[in-house]
């Protein structure tokens, strides 16, 4: 065994300190790296710190080993660990930029195959001497010099080519969000610096021939974590969003934003007070969580839902993130519904007052005349007036039952069904509760729905019709069925339309009101046939809990 004992030469001590500090910095950074919230980013950066720290440790062993043979063992170990840093680096870049390359099984298999092939070339170097050749030198201190051969430069070229792919992914993300790439360029410079040292080692006897890449990789990994991790997280937040996103610091200055935000607000500038550059947003920052922001554009008004959330890293709160979700179509629809409801309310008010008052006068006069003269024309007039009153009641119900529901509560199907049955003129008809259930609904409107369906069954099935109520088997809703004549298949959609009726005395609005109540709850209704051949109305999509 060839002895090559460590020395206290100042240059030797400097080398030991340099690689020792690199290893210590990597391992000491692990607790902080484990606090990163994004799973893929955390795993990639932790693995990068572990492998680059291990690479520096292998170089320490190479420097401190007392014999040539032991130094070669450490050097071979360093070659394998150093090669393995490429995987975590690409994993980190893929996860951080929102890609799925690190999740691809085929890419993982290819990476393992390349790693094994290059590792085989490295560990078999004593047989072919085509990767490196060791040589003992005494300047600037006694050491084992490593003369890299052509296979080393090929492997290094491949490693750096793969590293460039990672840099490209980061640059693309930074450019997408319009972020300053200067910090990233600085980190890339650190990873490229070892190449300069490798080159100088060839021409200068004062710089020993070993690979200096562990220093650059360690500097990048630690630099990302301690110097730029906050910036990286804001870039990651804004860059992975298709919607406009901006990040503010605790003083409400613009910290970062993506290109979608810049398109929406061209005046946005980093480090500017949000109240200065976009004052229309500032008033919403401390407002309610579910805020709709109205923005006038050249193409008309646009509406955005503001998602305002605290923005934090593993260390502390950094400020506030604001995400803009375009809800223009939904908001315009909602506002149109409000306008329609206002018109319906005005119409209902007109029907209730302007039509009902003269109708009541006419009914009173007819009743008076019938008391003096029992005339068939008066009887027909009275029936017509009663029909008009029924129409007015149904129109009012139709106008009001379709309006949006503000409050819902837990209701029990059997209880509401029994309340509805109590106010229906049922004669000898019967109601059976087949199965019971509890769900969320407007109890008053649900009772109106059941009343209308009960009256419909009695009107078309006869005074002795048998009606059953129960829950659908999968628990998604309930049904109302009868043993009457049923509804022909071709008419099952028509019966829910306004004005459709097969009864001469019907208004054609009873089932239309049912349809409006169902729609107001965001339920679905289906008309089918019952087991006995009668009609069956199934209401699905009900909520079982708040």
């Amino acid at each position: 065994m060839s002895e090559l004992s460590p020395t206290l030469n100042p240059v030797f001590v400097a080398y030991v300190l340099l690689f020792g500090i690199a290893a210590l910095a990597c391992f000491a950074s692990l607790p902080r790296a484990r606090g990163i919230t994004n799973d893929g980013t955390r795993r990639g950066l932790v693995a990068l710190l572990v492998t680059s720290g291990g690479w520096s440790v292998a170089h320490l062993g190479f420097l401190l080993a007392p014999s040539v043979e032991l130094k070669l063992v450490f050097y071979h170990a360093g070659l394998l660990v150093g090669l393995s840093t490429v995987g975590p680096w690409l994993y980190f870049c893929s996860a951080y930029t929102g890609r799925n390359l690190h999740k691809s099984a085929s890419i993982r298999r290819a990476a393992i195959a390349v790693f094994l092939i290059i590792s085989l070339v490295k560990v078999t170097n004593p047989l072919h001497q085509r990767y490196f050749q060791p040589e003992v030198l005494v300047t600037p201190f006694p050491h084992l010099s490593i003369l890299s051969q052509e296979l080393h430069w090929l492997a290094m070229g491949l490693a750096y080519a793969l590293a460039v792919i990672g840099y490209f992914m980061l640059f693309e993300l930074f450019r997408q969000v319009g972020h300053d790439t200067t910090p990233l360029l600085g980190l890339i410079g650190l990873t490229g610096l070892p190449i300069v040292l490798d080159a100088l080692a060839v021409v200068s006897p004062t710089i020993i021939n070993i690979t200096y890449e562990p220093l650059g990789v360690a500097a990048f990994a630690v630099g990302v974590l301690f110097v730029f991790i906050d910036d990286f997280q804001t870039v990651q937040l804004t860059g992975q969003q298709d919607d406009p996103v901006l990040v503010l610091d605790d003083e409400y200055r613009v910290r970062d934003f993506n290109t979608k935000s810049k398109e929406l607000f061209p005046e946005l500038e980093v480090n500017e007070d949000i109240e200065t550059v976009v004052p229309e947003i500032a008033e919403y920052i401390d407002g309610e969580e579910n805020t709709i922001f109205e923005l006038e554009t050249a193409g008309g008004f646009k509406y955005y839902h503001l998602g305002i959330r605290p923005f934090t890293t593993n260390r502390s709160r950094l400020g506030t993130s604001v995400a803009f979700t375009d809800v223009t179509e939904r908001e315009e629809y909602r506002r149109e519904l409000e306008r329609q409801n206002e018109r319906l309310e005005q119409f209902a008010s007109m029907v209730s007052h302007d039509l009902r008052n003269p109708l009541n006068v006419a009914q009173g006069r007819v009743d008076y005349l019938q008391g003096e003269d029992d005339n068939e024309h008066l009887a027909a007039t009275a029936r017509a007036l009663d029909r008009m009153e029924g129409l007015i009641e149904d129109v009012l119900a139709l106008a009001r039952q379709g309006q949006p529901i503000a409050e819902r509560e837990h209701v029990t199907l059997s209880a509401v069904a029994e309340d509805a049955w109590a106010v229906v003129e049922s004669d000898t008809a019967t109601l059976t509760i087949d199965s019971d259930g509890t769900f969320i609904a407007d109890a008053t409107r649900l009772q109106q729905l059941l009343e209308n369906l009960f009256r419909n069954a009695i009107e078309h099935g006869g005074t002795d019709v048998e009606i059953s109520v129960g829950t659908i088997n999968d628990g998604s809703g309930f049904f109302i069925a009868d043993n009457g004549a049923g509804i022909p298949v071709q008419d099952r959609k028509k019966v829910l339309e306004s004005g459709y009726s097969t009864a001469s005395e019907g208004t054609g609005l009873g089932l239309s009101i049912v349809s409006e109540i169902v729609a107001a709850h965001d339920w679905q209704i289906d008309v089918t046939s019952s087991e006995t051949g009668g009609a069956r109305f199934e209401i699905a999509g009900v909520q079982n809990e708040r």
Side-chain angles (χ1 to χ4, degrees):
M1 179 178 291
S2 303
E3 295 294 330
L4 199 60
S5 302
T7 176
L8 294 180
N9 181 291
V11 178
F12 171 79
V13 173
Y15 271 93
V16 171
L17 288 176
L18 196 60
F19 285 101
I21 290 172
L24 182 62
C26 288
F27 294 132
S29 302
L30 288 174
R32 179 184 174 88
R34 291 192 180 100
I36 296 175
T37 54
N38 182 273
D39 290 340
T41 303
R42 181 182 64 252
R43 284 193 289 265
L45 193 52
V46 166
L48 184 61
L49 287 167
V50 170
T51 52
S52 47
W55 200 1
S56 293
V57 168
H59 271 58
L60 276 177
F62 172 78
L63 292 168
L64 296 172
S67 66
V68 170
E69 291 78 8
L70 195 54
K71 286 180 181 291
L72 288 174
V73 170
F74 277 107
Y75 190 76
H76 277 98
L79 290 175
L80 299 181
V81 177
L83 180 62
S84 69
T85 61
V86 177
W89 161 245
L90 292 176
Y91 189 103
F92 164 77
C93 293
S94 173
Y96 174 75
T97 57
R99 291 173 168 82
N100 292 313
L101 298 176
H102 59 293
K103 297 179 181 179
S104 171
S106 58
I107 291 178
R108 287 181 178 180
R109 286 193 292 268
I112 292 173
V114 171
F115 176 82
L116 292 176
I117 291 172
I118 297 178
S119 297
L120 182 63
V121 171
K122 291 182 176 185
V123 297
T124 57
N125 182 71
L127 300 177
H128 53 73
Q129 298 286 305
R130 303 296 295 275
Y131 199 86
F132 70 89
Q133 291 182 5
E135 180 182 5
V136 177
L137 298 178
V138 295
T139 303
F141 56 84
H143 68 281
L144 183 66
S145 176
I146 302 296
L147 303 176
S148 298
Q149 303 300 307
E150 62 269 23
L151 291 181
H152 165 82
W153 297 113
L154 286 174
M156 179 177 288
L158 176 61
Y160 271 97
L162 293 173
V164 168
I165 294 174
Y167 293 137
F168 172 78
M169 287 190 277
L170 294 178
F171 267 115
E172 186 178 50
L173 178 62
F174 273 52
R175 189 174 60 252
Q176 176 187 344
V177 302
H179 193 81
D180 182 14
T181 57
T182 303
L184 183 59
L185 286 171
L187 286 177
I188 293 174
L190 289 177
T191 58
L193 188 60
I195 299 178
V196 177
L197 296 175
D198 289 339
L200 290 176
V202 176
V203 298
S204 174
T206 59
I207 299 177
I208 67 173
N209 256 321
I210 58 173
T211 55
Y212 292 90
E213 281 72 20
L215 302 177
V217 176
F220 181 89
V222 176
V224 166
L225 187 62
F226 281 88
V227 182
F228 301 112
I229 191 64
D230 293 347
D231 279 345
F232 272 20
Q233 289 198 206
T234 60
V235 170
Q236 187 180 47
L237 172 67
T238 55
Q240 292 181 0
Q241 299 289 331
D242 293 330
D243 294 327
V245 176
L246 61 89
V247 178
L248 309 176
D249 64 18
D250 281 335
E251 301 299 325
Y252 292 159
R253 290 187 299 267
V254 178
R255 182 182 179 91
D256 213 335
F257 52 84
N258 58 5
T259 53
K260 293 289 187 181
S261 291
K262 187 68 173 179
E263 292 171 5
L264 198 61
F265 306 106
E267 57 274 24
L268 277 175
E269 294 293 341
V270 174
N271 294 326
E272 291 292 331
D273 194 314
I274 190 65
E275 192 169 0
T276 301
V277 291
V278 192
E280 56 264 44
I281 298 177
E283 59 182 287
Y284 291 97
I285 301 302
D286 291 323
E288 297 180 0
E289 182 176 343
N290 294 314
T291 300
I292 301 299
F293 172 66
E294 182 181 79
L295 180 66
E296 186 174 6
T297 66
F301 283 98
K302 302 279 286 183
Y303 300 93
Y304 295 89
H305 174 267
L306 297 188
I308 302 172
R309 300 287 186 275
F311 176 61
T312 60
T313 65
N314 55 301
R315 285 190 302 170
S316 60
R317 173 188 169 96
L318 296 178
T320 302
S321 68
V322 184
F324 297 79
T325 304
D326 191 339
V327 293
T328 301
E329 185 176 346
R330 187 183 72 189
E331 185 65 14
E332 288 178 343
Y333 178 69
R334 185 189 68 80
R335 294 185 179 217
E336 179 60 28
L337 280 180
E338 286 185 351
R339 288 191 290 270
Q340 290 179 3
N341 286 330
E342 288 176 2
R343 291 194 292 269
L344 280 173
E345 192 62 40
Q346 293 171 357
F347 171 71
S349 178
M350 183 272 291
V351 169
S352 180
H353 297 91
D354 297 349
L355 291 184
R356 181 172 283 170
N357 288 341
L359 176 63
N360 290 338
V361 172
Q363 286 177 320
R365 295 295 178 89
V366 169
D367 289 342
Y368 175 77
L369 292 174
Q370 281 185 311
E372 294 187 348
D373 182 9
D374 188 9
N375 186 297
E376 63 177 316
H377 296 294
L378 291 174
T381 302
R383 288 194 299 272
L385 292 174
D386 289 342
R387 177 170 169 75
M388 288 176 63
E389 184 176 29
L391 279 168
I392 289 174
E393 292 294 337
D394 283 351
V395 167
L396 288 172
L398 184 62
R400 289 167 178 157
Q401 297 299 344
Q403 294 183 13
I405 295 173
E407 296 293 335
R408 304 188 189 199
E409 59 183 308
H410 283 283
V411 297
T412 302
L413 179 62
S414 60
V416 181
E418 289 168 359
D419 289 342
W421 187 253
V423 298
V424 173
E425 294 182 6
S426 55
D427 293 328
T428 57
T430 59
L431 173 68
T432 303
I433 307 296
D434 283 356
S435 55
D436 204 1
T438 301
F439 46 89
I440 306 298
D442 182 315
T444 301
R445 294 202 210 184
L446 176 59
Q447 181 174 330
Q448 178 71 58
L449 178 150
L450 294 173
E451 288 177 19
N452 285 23
L453 289 177
F454 292 161
R455 290 192 183 98
N456 182 76
I458 294 170
E459 180 181 346
H460 296 281
T463 55
D464 60 348
V465 68
E466 297 176 1
I467 303 172
S468 59
V469 173
T471 55
I472 298 175
N473 290 336
D474 62 4
S476 64
F478 58 93
F479 69 86
I480 300 91
D482 62 59
N483 65 344
I487 302 173
V489 175
Q490 65 272 19
D491 293 335
R492 288 177 181 174
K493 289 186 178 179
K494 296 179 183 178
V495 297
L496 299 174
E497 297 175 359
S498 179
Y500 182 87
S501 177
T502 58
S504 58
E505 299 299 322
T507 64
L509 297 177
L511 293 183
S512 180
I513 292 171
V514 169
S515 182
E516 289 292 331
I517 295 173
V518 167
H521 281 86
D522 293 324
W523 298 341
Q524 301 87 43
I525 184 169
D526 189 30
V527 183
T528 63
S529 176
S530 68
E531 294 180 356
T532 57
R536 177 182 169 102
F537 295 84
E538 292 186 353
I539 290 85
V542 302
Q543 290 179 279
N544 294 317
E545 57 183 30
R546 289 187 186 275

